Amino acid sequence: MINIVFVIADLGMGGAQRVISLLATRLSAQADTRVDIVSMGADAGNGFFSIPPDVKIYSVGAASRSQGAWSAIQANVQRVVRLRAVLRGLAPDVVISF
């Protein structure tokens, strides 16, 4: 089984979000292919575009505005730590970042 993970900032309205929804729909229909989406934001549902029910969406909840240089550095470190934890748990064969 091939495990593909898409990583994106959020699942709102946008071109990259639309492309991910189209790719996830097409790839998840293939035999022996698992597709997951990791959103850096705090997306509660499927987002703006339709995502098939067999595609799992994981929210890192680490997208926020920083209040200065030091808080930006801390936020970036936190984002990397959270993203790595999710990716380790999913153990993907391929990660595609948008």
Side-chain angles (χ1 to χ4, degrees):
M1 173 168 280
I2 297 172
N3 184 6
I4 302 170
V5 174
F6 293 104
V7 179
I8 192 161
D10 62 54
L11 291 172
M13 294 186 304
Q17 291 85 346
R18 181 168 186 256
V19 170
I20 282 184
S21 71
L22 294 172
L23 285 172
T25 299
R26 180 62 63 112
L27 291 171
S28 67
Q30 301 295 315
D32 292 335
T33 303
R34 180 177 141 199
V35 178
D36 297 309
I37 298 173
V38 176
S39 169
M40 296 303 289
D43 299 302
N46 286 348
F48 183 79
F49 296 100
S50 177
I51 305 288
D54 58 331
V55 174
K56 302 271 190 290
I57 299 172
Y58 298 88
S59 178
V60 175
S64 62
R65 287 190 110 12
S66 301
Q67 301 299 324
W70 182 245
S71 67
I73 292 169
Q74 289 175 322
N76 282 334
V77 169
Q78 189 69 3
R79 286 181 190 106
V80 170
V81 168
R82 289 182 182 182
L83 180 59
R84 285 187 69 183
V86 171
L87 291 177
R88 276 193 181 149
L90 295 174
D93 297 309
V94 178
V95 177
I96 302 171
S97 177
F98 281 72

Coordinates of all heavy atoms in Angstrom, one line a residue:
M1 N 0.8 -1.2 0.0 CA 0.0 0.0 0.0 C 0.9 1.2 0.0 O 1.9 1.3 0.7 CB -0.9 0.0 1.2 CG -1.7 1.3 1.3 SD -3.0 1.3 2.5 CE -4.3 0.5 1.6
I2 N 0.5 2.2 -0.8 CA 1.3 3.5 -0.9 C 0.5 4.5 0.0 O -0.7 4.6 -0.2 CB 1.4 4.0 -2.3 CG1 2.2 3.0 -3.2 CG2 2.0 5.4 -2.4 CD1 2.1 3.3 -4.7
N3 N 1.2 5.2 0.8 CA 0.6 6.2 1.7 C 1.2 7.5 1.3 O 2.3 7.8 1.4 CB 1.0 5.9 3.2 CG 0.4 6.8 4.1 OD1 -0.5 7.6 3.8 ND2 0.8 6.7 5.4
I4 N 0.2 8.4 0.8 CA 0.6 9.7 0.3 C 0.0 10.7 1.3 O -1.2 10.7 1.7 CB 0.0 10.0 -1.1 CG1 0.5 8.9 -2.0 CG2 0.3 11.4 -1.5 CD1 -0.1 9.0 -3.4
V5 N 0.8 11.7 1.7 CA 0.3 12.8 2.6 C 0.5 14.1 1.9 O 1.6 14.4 1.4 CB 1.1 12.8 4.0 CG1 0.7 13.9 4.8 CG2 0.8 11.5 4.7
F6 N -0.5 14.9 1.9 CA -0.5 16.3 1.4 C -0.4 17.2 2.6 O -1.1 17.0 3.6 CB -1.7 16.7 0.6 CG -1.8 15.9 -0.7 CD1 -2.7 14.9 -0.9 CD2 -1.0 16.3 -1.8 CE1 -2.8 14.2 -2.1 CE2 -1.0 15.6 -3.0 CZ -2.0 14.6 -3.1
V7 N 0.5 18.2 2.6 CA 0.6 19.2 3.7 C 0.3 20.6 3.1 O 0.8 20.9 2.1 CB 2.0 19.2 4.3 CG1 2.1 20.2 5.4 CG2 2.4 17.8 4.8
I8 N -0.6 21.3 3.8 CA -1.0 22.6 3.3 C -1.3 23.5 4.5 O -1.6 23.0 5.6 CB -2.3 22.5 2.4 CG1 -2.6 23.8 1.7 CG2 -3.5 22.0 3.2 CD1 -3.4 23.6 0.5
A9 N -1.3 24.8 4.3 CA -1.5 25.8 5.4 C -2.9 25.7 5.9 O -3.1 25.7 7.1 CB -1.2 27.2 4.9
D10 N -3.9 25.6 5.1 CA -5.3 25.5 5.5 C -6.1 24.9 4.4 O -5.6 24.6 3.3 CB -5.9 26.9 5.9 CG -5.9 27.9 4.7 OD1 -6.5 27.5 3.7 OD2 -5.4 29.0 4.9
L11 N -7.4 24.6 4.6 CA -8.3 24.0 3.7 C -9.4 25.0 3.3 O -10.5 24.6 2.9 CB -8.9 22.7 4.2 CG -7.8 21.6 4.3 CD1 -8.4 20.4 5.0 CD2 -7.3 21.2 3.0
G12 N -9.1 26.3 3.2 CA -10.1 27.3 2.8 C -10.3 27.3 1.3 O -10.0 26.4 0.6
M13 N -10.7 28.5 0.9 CA -10.9 28.7 -0.6 C -9.6 29.1 -1.2 O -8.9 30.0 -0.7 CB -11.9 29.8 -0.8 CG -13.3 29.6 -0.4 SD -14.5 30.8 -0.9 CE -13.8 32.3 -0.2
G14 N -9.2 28.4 -2.2 CA -7.9 28.7 -2.9 C -7.6 27.7 -3.9 O -8.1 26.6 -3.9
G15 N -6.6 28.1 -4.8 CA -6.2 27.2 -5.8 C -5.5 26.0 -5.4 O -5.8 24.8 -5.9
A16 N -4.6 26.1 -4.4 CA -3.9 24.9 -3.9 C -4.8 24.0 -3.2 O -4.7 22.8 -3.3 CB -2.7 25.4 -3.0
Q17 N -5.8 24.5 -2.5 CA -6.7 23.7 -1.8 C -7.6 22.9 -2.8 O -7.9 21.8 -2.6 CB -7.6 24.6 -0.9 CG -6.9 25.2 0.3 CD -6.2 26.5 0.0 OE1 -6.0 26.8 -1.2 NE2 -5.8 27.2 1.0
R18 N -7.9 23.6 -3.9 CA -8.7 22.9 -4.9 C -7.9 21.8 -5.6 O -8.4 20.7 -5.8 CB -9.2 23.9 -6.0 CG -10.0 23.2 -7.1 CD -10.7 24.3 -8.0 NE -11.5 23.6 -8.9 CZ -11.3 23.4 -10.2 NH1 -10.1 23.8 -10.7 NH2 -12.1 22.8 -11.0
V19 N -6.6 22.0 -5.8 CA -5.8 21.0 -6.4 C -5.7 19.8 -5.5 O -5.7 18.7 -5.9 CB -4.4 21.6 -6.8 CG1 -3.4 20.5 -7.2 CG2 -4.5 22.6 -7.9
I20 N -5.5 20.1 -4.2 CA -5.4 19.0 -3.2 C -6.7 18.2 -3.2 O -6.6 16.9 -3.1 CB -5.0 19.5 -1.8 CG1 -3.5 19.8 -1.8 CG2 -5.4 18.5 -0.7 CD1 -3.0 20.3 -0.4
S21 N -7.8 18.8 -3.2 CA -9.1 18.1 -3.2 C -9.2 17.2 -4.4 O -9.7 16.1 -4.4 CB -10.3 19.1 -3.1 OG -10.5 19.8 -4.3
L22 N -8.8 17.7 -5.6 CA -8.9 16.9 -6.8 C -7.9 15.8 -6.8 O -8.3 14.6 -7.2 CB -8.6 17.8 -8.1 CG -9.6 18.9 -8.4 CD1 -9.1 19.8 -9.5 CD2 -11.0 18.3 -8.7
L23 N -6.7 16.0 -6.4 CA -5.7 14.9 -6.3 C -6.1 13.9 -5.3 O -5.9 12.7 -5.5 CB -4.3 15.5 -5.9 CG -3.5 16.2 -7.0 CD1 -2.3 16.9 -6.5 CD2 -3.2 15.3 -8.1
A24 N -6.5 14.3 -4.1 CA -7.0 13.4 -3.0 C -8.1 12.5 -3.5 O -8.1 11.3 -3.3 CB -7.3 14.2 -1.8
T25 N -9.1 13.1 -4.2 CA -10.2 12.4 -4.8 C -9.7 11.3 -5.7 O -10.1 10.2 -5.7 CB -11.2 13.3 -5.4 OG1 -11.7 14.3 -4.5 CG2 -12.4 12.6 -6.0
R26 N -8.9 11.7 -6.7 CA -8.4 10.8 -7.7 C -7.5 9.7 -7.1 O -7.7 8.5 -7.4 CB -7.7 11.6 -8.8 CG -7.1 10.8 -9.9 CD -8.2 10.1 -10.7 NE -9.1 11.0 -11.3 CZ -9.2 11.2 -12.6 NH1 -8.5 10.5 -13.5 NH2 -10.1 12.1 -13.1
L27 N -6.6 10.1 -6.3 CA -5.6 9.1 -5.8 C -6.2 8.1 -4.8 O -5.9 7.0 -4.7 CB -4.4 9.8 -5.1 CG -3.5 10.6 -6.1 CD1 -2.5 11.4 -5.3 CD2 -2.8 9.6 -7.0
S28 N -7.2 8.6 -4.0 CA -7.8 7.7 -3.0 C -8.7 6.7 -3.7 O -9.0 5.7 -3.1 CB -8.6 8.5 -2.0 OG -9.7 9.2 -2.6
A29 N -9.1 6.9 -4.9 CA -9.9 5.9 -5.6 C -9.0 4.8 -6.2 O -9.5 3.8 -6.6 CB -10.6 6.6 -6.8
Q30 N -7.7 5.0 -6.2 CA -6.8 4.0 -6.7 C -6.7 2.8 -5.7 O -6.6 3.1 -4.5 CB -5.4 4.6 -7.0 CG -5.4 5.7 -8.0 CD -5.8 5.3 -9.3 OE1 -5.3 4.2 -9.8 NE2 -6.6 6.0 -10.0
A31 N -6.5 1.6 -6.2 CA -6.3 0.5 -5.3 C -5.0 0.6 -4.6 O -4.0 1.1 -5.2 CB -6.4 -0.8 -6.1
D32 N -4.9 0.2 -3.4 CA -3.7 0.1 -2.6 C -3.0 1.5 -2.4 O -1.8 1.7 -2.4 CB -2.6 -0.8 -3.2 CG -3.0 -2.3 -3.1 OD1 -3.9 -2.6 -2.2 OD2 -2.6 -3.1 -3.9
T33 N -3.9 2.6 -2.3 CA -3.4 3.9 -2.1 C -4.2 4.5 -1.0 O -5.4 4.6 -1.0 CB -3.5 4.8 -3.4 OG1 -2.8 4.2 -4.4 CG2 -2.9 6.2 -3.1
R34 N -3.4 5.0 0.0 CA -4.0 5.7 1.1 C -3.6 7.2 1.0 O -2.4 7.5 0.8 CB -3.6 5.1 2.5 CG -4.2 5.8 3.7 CD -3.7 5.1 4.9 NE -3.5 6.2 5.9 CZ -2.7 6.0 7.0 NH1 -2.2 4.9 7.2 NH2 -2.6 7.0 7.8
V35 N -4.6 8.1 1.2 CA -4.3 9.5 1.1 C -4.7 10.2 2.4 O -5.8 10.0 2.9 CB -5.0 10.2 -0.1 CG1 -4.7 11.7 -0.2 CG2 -4.6 9.5 -1.4
D36 N -3.8 11.0 2.9 CA -4.1 11.8 4.1 C -3.8 13.3 3.8 O -2.9 13.5 3.0 CB -3.3 11.4 5.3 CG -3.7 9.9 5.7 OD1 -4.9 9.6 5.9 OD2 -2.7 9.1 5.9
I37 N -4.4 14.2 4.5 CA -4.1 15.6 4.4 C -3.8 16.2 5.7 O -4.5 15.9 6.7 CB -5.3 16.4 3.8 CG1 -5.6 15.9 2.4 CG2 -5.0 17.9 3.8 CD1 -6.9 16.5 1.8
V38 N -2.7 16.9 5.8 CA -2.3 17.5 7.1 C -2.4 19.0 6.8 O -1.7 19.6 6.0 CB -0.8 17.2 7.5 CG1 -0.4 18.0 8.7 CG2 -0.7 15.7 7.7
S39 N -3.2 19.7 7.6 CA -3.4 21.1 7.6 C -2.7 21.8 8.7 O -2.8 21.3 9.9 CB -4.9 21.4 7.7 OG -5.1 22.8 7.8
M40 N -1.9 22.8 8.4 CA -1.2 23.5 9.5 C -2.1 24.3 10.4 O -1.8 24.7 11.5 CB -0.1 24.4 8.9 CG 1.0 23.7 8.2 SD 1.8 22.4 9.2 CE 2.7 23.5 10.3
G41 N -3.3 24.7 9.8 CA -4.3 25.5 10.6 C -5.1 24.6 11.5 O -4.8 23.4 11.7
A42 N -6.2 25.2 12.0 CA -7.1 24.5 12.9 C -8.4 24.1 12.2 O -9.5 24.4 12.6 CB -7.4 25.3 14.1
D43 N -8.3 23.6 11.0 CA -9.5 23.2 10.2 C -10.3 22.1 10.9 O -9.8 21.0 11.2 CB -9.1 22.7 8.8 CG -8.4 23.8 8.0 OD1 -8.9 24.9 7.8 OD2 -7.2 23.5 7.6
A44 N -11.5 22.4 11.2 CA -12.4 21.5 11.9 C -13.0 20.4 11.0 O -13.1 19.3 11.4 CB -13.5 22.2 12.7
G45 N -13.4 20.8 9.8 CA -14.0 19.9 8.9 C -13.2 19.6 7.7 O -12.0 19.7 7.7
N46 N -14.0 19.4 6.6 CA -13.3 19.1 5.3 C -12.8 20.3 4.6 O -12.1 20.2 3.6 CB -14.3 18.3 4.4 CG -14.4 16.9 4.8 OD1 -13.7 16.4 5.6 ND2 -15.4 16.2 4.2
G47 N -13.2 21.5 5.1 CA -12.8 22.7 4.4 C -13.8 23.1 3.3 O -14.9 22.7 3.3
F48 N -13.4 24.0 2.4 CA -14.2 24.5 1.4 C -14.6 23.5 0.3 O -15.7 23.4 -0.1 CB -13.6 25.8 0.8 CG -14.5 26.5 -0.2 CD1 -15.5 27.3 0.2 CD2 -14.3 26.3 -1.5 CE1 -16.3 27.9 -0.7 CE2 -15.1 27.0 -2.5 CZ -16.1 27.8 -2.0
F49 N -13.6 22.8 -0.2 CA -13.8 21.9 -1.3 C -14.1 20.5 -0.7 O -13.7 20.1 0.4 CB -12.5 21.8 -2.2 CG -12.2 23.1 -2.8 CD1 -11.3 24.0 -2.4 CD2 -13.0 23.5 -4.0 CE1 -11.0 25.2 -3.0 CE2 -12.7 24.7 -4.6 CZ -11.8 25.6 -4.1
S50 N -14.7 19.7 -1.5 CA -15.2 18.4 -1.2 C -14.0 17.4 -1.1 O -13.1 17.4 -2.0 CB -16.2 17.8 -2.2 OG -16.5 16.5 -1.9
I51 N -13.9 16.7 0.0 CA -12.8 15.7 0.2 C -13.5 14.4 0.5 O -14.5 14.3 1.3 CB -12.0 16.1 1.5 CG1 -11.4 17.5 1.4 CG2 -10.9 15.0 1.7 CD1 -10.3 17.6 0.4
P52 N -13.1 13.3 -0.2 CA -13.7 12.0 0.0 C -13.7 11.6 1.5 O -12.7 11.9 2.2 CB -12.9 11.1 -0.8 CG -12.2 11.9 -1.8 CD -12.0 13.2 -1.1
P53 N -14.6 10.8 2.0 CA -14.7 10.4 3.4 C -13.5 9.5 3.8 O -13.1 9.4 5.0 CB -16.0 9.7 3.6 CG -16.5 9.5 2.2 CD -15.8 10.4 1.3
D54 N -12.9 8.8 2.8 CA -11.8 7.9 3.2 C -10.5 8.6 3.3 O -9.5 8.0 3.7 CB -11.7 6.7 2.2 CG -11.5 7.2 0.7 OD1 -12.0 8.3 0.4 OD2 -10.9 6.4 0.0
V55 N -10.5 9.9 2.9 CA -9.3 10.7 3.1 C -9.3 11.4 4.5 O -10.2 12.2 4.8 CB -9.1 11.8 2.0 CG1 -8.0 12.7 2.3 CG2 -9.0 11.1 0.6
K56 N -8.4 11.1 5.3 CA -8.3 11.6 6.7 C -7.6 13.0 6.7 O -6.7 13.2 6.0 CB -7.6 10.7 7.6 CG -8.2 9.3 7.7 CD -9.2 9.2 8.8 CE -9.7 7.8 9.1 NZ -10.4 7.1 8.1
I57 N -8.2 13.9 7.5 CA -7.6 15.2 7.6 C -7.1 15.4 9.0 O -7.8 15.2 10.0 CB -8.7 16.3 7.3 CG1 -9.2 16.2 5.8 CG2 -8.1 17.7 7.5 CD1 -10.3 17.1 5.5
Y58 N -5.8 15.7 9.1 CA -5.2 16.0 10.4 C -4.9 17.4 10.5 O -4.3 18.0 9.6 CB -3.9 15.1 10.5 CG -4.2 13.7 10.5 CD1 -4.2 13.0 9.2 CD2 -4.5 12.9 11.6 CE1 -4.5 11.7 9.1 CE2 -4.7 11.6 11.5 CZ -4.7 10.9 10.3 OH -5.0 9.6 10.2
S59 N -5.2 18.0 11.6 CA -5.0 19.5 11.8 C -3.9 19.6 12.9 O -4.0 19.1 14.0 CB -6.3 20.1 12.3 OG -6.0 21.5 12.6
V60 N -2.8 20.3 12.5 CA -1.7 20.6 13.4 C -2.0 21.7 14.3 O -1.6 21.8 15.4 CB -0.4 20.9 12.5 CG1 0.7 21.3 13.4 CG2 0.0 19.7 11.7
G61 N -2.9 22.7 13.9 CA -3.3 23.8 14.7 C -2.1 24.7 15.1 O -2.1 25.2 16.2
A62 N -1.2 24.9 14.1 CA 0.0 25.7 14.4 C 0.1 26.9 13.5 O 1.2 27.5 13.4 CB 1.2 24.8 14.3
A63 N -1.0 27.3 12.9 CA -0.9 28.5 12.0 C -1.4 29.7 12.8 O -2.5 29.8 13.2 CB -1.7 28.3 10.7
S64 N -0.5 30.6 13.1 CA -0.9 31.8 13.8 C 0.1 33.0 13.4 O 1.2 32.7 12.9 CB -0.8 31.6 15.3 OG 0.5 31.3 15.7
R65 N -0.3 34.2 13.7 CA 0.5 35.3 13.5 C 1.4 35.5 14.7 O 1.0 35.4 15.8 CB -0.3 36.6 13.3 CG -1.0 36.5 11.9 CD -1.6 37.9 11.6 NE -1.2 38.8 10.6 CZ -0.4 38.7 9.6 NH1 0.3 37.6 9.4 NH2 -0.2 39.7 8.7
S66 N 2.7 35.9 14.4 CA 3.7 36.1 15.5 C 3.7 37.6 15.8 O 3.4 38.5 15.0 CB 5.0 35.7 15.0 OG 5.0 34.3 14.7
Q67 N 4.1 37.9 17.1 CA 4.1 39.2 17.6 C 5.5 39.8 17.7 O 5.8 40.7 18.4 CB 3.4 39.3 19.0 CG 2.0 38.8 19.0 CD 1.1 39.7 18.1 OE1 1.3 40.9 18.0 NE2 0.2 39.0 17.4
G68 N 6.4 39.3 16.9 CA 7.8 39.8 16.9 C 8.7 38.7 16.4 O 8.3 37.5 16.2
A69 N 10.0 39.0 16.4 CA 11.0 38.1 15.9 C 11.1 36.8 16.8 O 11.1 35.7 16.3 CB 12.3 38.7 15.7
W70 N 11.2 37.0 18.1 CA 11.4 35.9 19.0 C 10.1 35.0 19.0 O 10.3 33.8 18.9 CB 11.7 36.4 20.4 CG 11.9 35.3 21.3 CD1 11.1 34.9 22.4 CD2 12.9 34.3 21.3 NE1 11.6 33.8 23.0 CE2 12.7 33.4 22.4 CE3 14.0 34.1 20.5 CZ2 13.6 32.3 22.6 CZ3 14.8 33.0 20.7 CH2 14.6 32.1 21.8
S71 N 9.0 35.5 19.0 CA 7.8 34.7 18.9 C 7.6 34.0 17.6 O 7.1 32.9 17.5 CB 6.5 35.5 19.3 OG 6.2 36.4 18.2
A72 N 8.1 34.6 16.5 CA 8.1 34.0 15.2 C 9.0 32.7 15.2 O 8.7 31.7 14.7 CB 8.5 34.9 14.1
I73 N 10.2 32.9 15.8 CA 11.1 31.7 15.9 C 10.5 30.6 16.7 O 10.5 29.4 16.4 CB 12.5 32.2 16.5 CG1 13.2 33.1 15.5 CG2 13.3 31.0 16.8 CD1 14.4 33.8 16.1
Q74 N 9.9 31.0 17.9 CA 9.3 30.0 18.7 C 8.1 29.3 18.0 O 7.9 28.1 18.1 CB 8.8 30.6 20.0 CG 9.9 31.0 21.0 CD 9.3 31.8 22.2 OE1 8.4 32.6 22.0 NE2 9.9 31.5 23.3
A75 N 7.3 30.1 17.3 CA 6.2 29.5 16.5 C 6.6 28.6 15.4 O 6.0 27.5 15.2 CB 5.3 30.6 16.0
N76 N 7.7 28.9 14.7 CA 8.2 28.0 13.7 C 8.8 26.7 14.3 O 8.5 25.7 13.7 CB 9.3 28.8 12.9 CG 8.7 29.7 11.9 OD1 7.6 29.6 11.5 ND2 9.5 30.7 11.5
V77 N 9.4 26.8 15.4 CA 9.9 25.6 16.0 C 8.7 24.7 16.4 O 8.7 23.5 16.2 CB 10.8 25.9 17.2 CG1 11.1 24.6 18.0 CG2 12.1 26.6 16.8
Q78 N 7.7 25.3 17.0 CA 6.5 24.6 17.4 C 5.8 23.9 16.2 O 5.4 22.8 16.3 CB 5.6 25.5 18.1 CG 4.4 24.8 18.8 CD 4.8 24.0 19.9 OE1 6.0 23.9 20.3 NE2 3.9 23.3 20.5
R79 N 5.8 24.7 15.1 CA 5.2 24.1 13.9 C 5.9 22.9 13.4 O 5.3 21.9 13.0 CB 5.2 25.2 12.7 CG 4.1 26.2 12.9 CD 4.2 27.2 11.8 NE 3.4 28.4 12.1 CZ 3.8 29.6 12.4 NH1 5.1 29.8 12.4 NH2 3.0 30.5 12.7
V80 N 7.2 23.0 13.4 CA 8.0 21.8 12.9 C 7.9 20.6 13.8 O 7.7 19.5 13.4 CB 9.5 22.2 12.8 CG1 10.4 21.0 12.6 CG2 9.7 23.3 11.7
V81 N 7.9 20.9 15.1 CA 7.7 19.8 16.1 C 6.3 19.1 15.9 O 6.3 17.9 15.9 CB 7.9 20.3 17.5 CG1 7.4 19.3 18.6 CG2 9.3 20.7 17.8
R82 N 5.3 19.9 15.8 CA 4.0 19.3 15.6 C 3.8 18.6 14.3 O 3.2 17.5 14.2 CB 2.9 20.4 15.7 CG 2.7 20.9 17.1 CD 1.6 22.0 17.1 NE 1.4 22.5 18.4 CZ 0.5 23.5 18.7 NH1 -0.3 23.9 17.8 NH2 0.4 23.9 19.9
L83 N 4.3 19.2 13.2 CA 4.3 18.5 11.9 C 5.0 17.2 11.9 O 4.5 16.2 11.4 CB 4.8 19.5 10.8 CG 4.7 18.9 9.4 CD1 3.3 18.6 9.0 CD2 5.3 20.0 8.4
R84 N 6.2 17.2 12.5 CA 7.0 16.0 12.5 C 6.3 14.9 13.3 O 6.4 13.7 12.9 CB 8.4 16.2 13.1 CG 9.3 17.0 12.2 CD 10.7 17.1 12.7 NE 11.3 15.7 12.7 CZ 12.4 15.4 13.2 NH1 13.2 16.4 13.7 NH2 12.9 14.2 13.2
A85 N 5.6 15.3 14.4 CA 4.9 14.3 15.2 C 3.8 13.6 14.4 O 3.6 12.4 14.4 CB 4.4 14.9 16.5
V86 N 3.0 14.5 13.7 CA 2.0 13.9 12.8 C 2.5 13.0 11.7 O 2.0 11.9 11.5 CB 1.1 15.1 12.2 CG1 0.1 14.5 11.2 CG2 0.4 15.8 13.3
L87 N 3.6 13.5 11.0 CA 4.1 12.7 9.9 C 4.7 11.4 10.4 O 4.6 10.4 9.8 CB 5.2 13.5 9.2 CG 4.6 14.7 8.4 CD1 5.7 15.5 7.7 CD2 3.6 14.2 7.3
R88 N 5.4 11.4 11.6 CA 5.9 10.2 12.1 C 4.8 9.2 12.4 O 4.9 8.0 12.2 CB 6.6 10.4 13.4 CG 8.0 10.8 13.2 CD 8.8 10.8 14.5 NE 10.2 11.2 14.2 CZ 10.9 11.8 15.1 NH1 10.5 12.1 16.3 NH2 12.2 12.2 14.8
G89 N 3.7 9.7 12.9 CA 2.5 8.8 13.2 C 1.9 8.2 11.9 O 1.4 7.1 11.9
L90 N 1.9 9.0 10.9 CA 1.3 8.5 9.6 C 2.3 7.7 8.8 O 1.8 6.8 8.0 CB 0.9 9.7 8.7 CG -0.2 10.6 9.3 CD1 -0.5 11.8 8.4 CD2 -1.5 9.8 9.4
A91 N 3.6 7.8 9.0 CA 4.6 7.0 8.3 C 4.3 7.0 6.8 O 4.2 6.0 6.2 CB 4.7 5.6 8.8
P92 N 4.3 8.2 6.1 CA 4.0 8.2 4.7 C 5.2 7.7 3.8 O 6.3 7.8 4.2 CB 3.8 9.7 4.4 CG 4.6 10.4 5.5 CD 4.6 9.5 6.7
D93 N 4.8 7.3 2.6 CA 5.8 6.9 1.6 C 6.2 8.2 0.9 O 7.3 8.3 0.4 CB 5.3 5.9 0.6 CG 4.9 4.6 1.3 OD1 5.8 4.1 2.0 OD2 3.8 4.1 1.2
V94 N 5.2 9.1 0.7 CA 5.4 10.3 -0.1 C 4.7 11.5 0.7 O 3.6 11.3 1.1 CB 4.8 10.2 -1.5 CG1 5.0 11.5 -2.3 CG2 5.4 9.1 -2.3
V95 N 5.5 12.6 0.8 CA 4.9 13.8 1.4 C 4.9 14.9 0.3 O 6.0 15.2 -0.3 CB 5.6 14.3 2.6 CG1 5.1 15.6 3.1 CG2 5.6 13.2 3.7
I96 N 3.8 15.5 0.0 CA 3.7 16.6 -1.0 C 3.2 17.8 -0.3 O 2.1 17.8 0.3 CB 2.8 16.2 -2.1 CG1 3.2 14.9 -2.8 CG2 2.7 17.4 -3.1 CD1 2.3 14.4 -3.8
S97 N 4.1 18.8 -0.3 CA 3.8 20.1 0.5 C 3.3 21.2 -0.5 O 3.9 21.3 -1.5 CB 5.0 20.5 1.2 OG 4.8 21.7 1.9
F98 N 2.3 21.9 -0.1 CA 1.8 23.0 -0.9 C 2.0 24.3 -0.1 O 1.8 24.3 1.1 CB 0.3 22.8 -1.1 CG -0.1 21.9 -2.2 CD1 0.1 20.5 -2.0 CD2 -0.6 22.4 -3.4 CE1 -0.3 19.6 -3.1 CE2 -0.9 21.5 -4.4 CZ -0.8 20.1 -4.3

